[in-house]
Amino acid sequence: MLNGSVAIVTGASRGIGKAIALTLAKNDASLVINGTNRELLNELAVQIEKLGKKCFILVGDAAKPETAANVVRTVIDAFGRIDILINNAGINMRSSTLEMELTDWQNVLDVNLNGTLYFCKTVLPFMIEQKYGKIVNISSTAAKTAHRNAAPSYGASKAGVNYLTRHLALEMAPHNIYVNAVCPGPVETDMSRQWTDEYRQEVSAKIPLQKLGTPQNVADAVLFLASHMSDFITGETINVNGGTYMN
């Protein structure tokens, strides 16, 4: 589906980011993957290369502007172009407003919102020059409705990602650059596997489909938005949540 495209995936070490990177590679994309865990990134790169695709690693914190600059420089040096950007890097805190430290608020915004901006701002000049690009931001249903088990910093950061997605879609449309977001609901990840059975049942019971999603469910939606199958879609925030939030 991707016809030899070149993609960046941030936060690719595990979970949703890893599933996205593998799915893009299986659909004929070469990749530069970013994260903070070199060992896990190396393991993922080996898997991608076994699929016959090139993969470069760049370790770095998405919250730092220099990380985006280094990743994009690596892509351009290696491939000469950048077709797809997947902003998946993100962190979450689980505390009430009164319990939350202000440093935690800032850290979440720095990674989830500022990191997304840094990568978008860095790739856009290259996409404008080549008159094409696909950007997919990984947001959350927490951006659209309040959750008791998420800190306010998380929902606020993802709401910012949704607005940034719409704004960039409008601004970049004349350049044939598509910008969309995916909003996952409860998904089976390392974090959710730490839940008690009681809490897991409680979460599942609130989902109309009566089950948690998988990283692959999210990756499939990302693949659609990164491919030419979505060439009349931009500025959207697509829910992948089993019906827990509908709009």
Side-chain angles (χ1 to χ4, degrees), residues 1 9 40 71 77 89 122 138 146 170 176 184 202 211:
M1 286 176 64
V9 180
L40 293 179
V71 170
D77 288 348
T122 308
I138 306 304
L170 181 63
N176 200 35
E202 180 183 332
K211 62 182 180 180

Side-chain angles (χ1 to χ4, degrees), residues 99-160:
E99 294 171 339
M100 180 183 64
E101 298 290 338
L102 292 181
T103 52
D104 292 339
W105 167 272
Q106 192 61 57
N107 288 340
V108 172
L109 264 67
D110 281 343
V111 176
N112 297 1
L113 179 56
N114 294 348
T116 298
L117 173 66
Y118 298 150
F119 271 88
C120 288
K121 193 171 175 61
T122 308
V123 303
L124 282 171
F126 296 97
M127 290 182 171
I128 290 171
E129 184 177 356
Q130 65 194 25
K131 298 181 175 59
Y132 177 79
K134 295 268 186 167
I135 297 175
V136 184
N137 300 321
I138 306 304
S139 183
S140 170
T141 52
K144 300 180 176 183
T145 186
H147 289 272
R148 291 186 183 278
N149 66 336
S153 56
Y154 184 74
S157 69
K158 293 301 188 179

Side-chain angles (χ1 to χ4, degrees), residues 35-96:
T36 57
N37 189 313
R38 182 179 295 277
E39 182 178 352
L40 293 179
L41 290 175
N42 282 332
E43 291 174 3
L44 176 57
V46 170
Q47 291 180 264
I48 291 171
E49 288 167 352
K50 284 181 179 178
L51 295 169
K53 303 309 299 181
K54 290 183 179 179
C55 181
F56 293 83
I57 293 169
L58 204 145
V59 179
D61 185 353
K64 297 179 179 179
E66 57 266 29
T67 298
N70 292 338
V71 170
V72 174
R73 188 180 305 114
T74 299
V75 174
I76 298 303
D77 288 348
F79 300 104
R81 71 182 201 276
I82 169 63
D83 304 304
I84 298 165
L85 168 63
I86 313 298
N87 282 306
N88 173 72
I91 59 174
N92 193 5
M93 301 286 178
R94 299 187 183 278
S95 61
S96 68

Side-chain angles (χ1 to χ4, degrees), residues 171-194:
E171 198 172 346
M172 292 296 122
H175 302 287
N176 200 35
I177 297 169
Y178 305 75
V179 189
N180 292 288
V182 173
C183 296
V187 171
E188 288 278 10
T189 61
D190 290 345
M191 185 179 297
S192 63
R193 280 189 281 273
Q194 297 172 10

Side-chain angles (χ1 to χ4, degrees), residues 12 28 30 33 47-48 52 60 74 85 90 138 156 179 197 201-202 204 215 217 229 234 239:
D28 199 29
S30 297
I33 54 175
Q47 291 180 264
I48 291 171
T74 299
L85 168 63
I138 306 304
V179 189
D197 289 341
Q201 291 171 4
E202 180 183 332
S204 298
N217 293 147
M229 293 184 71
T234 195
N239 300 325

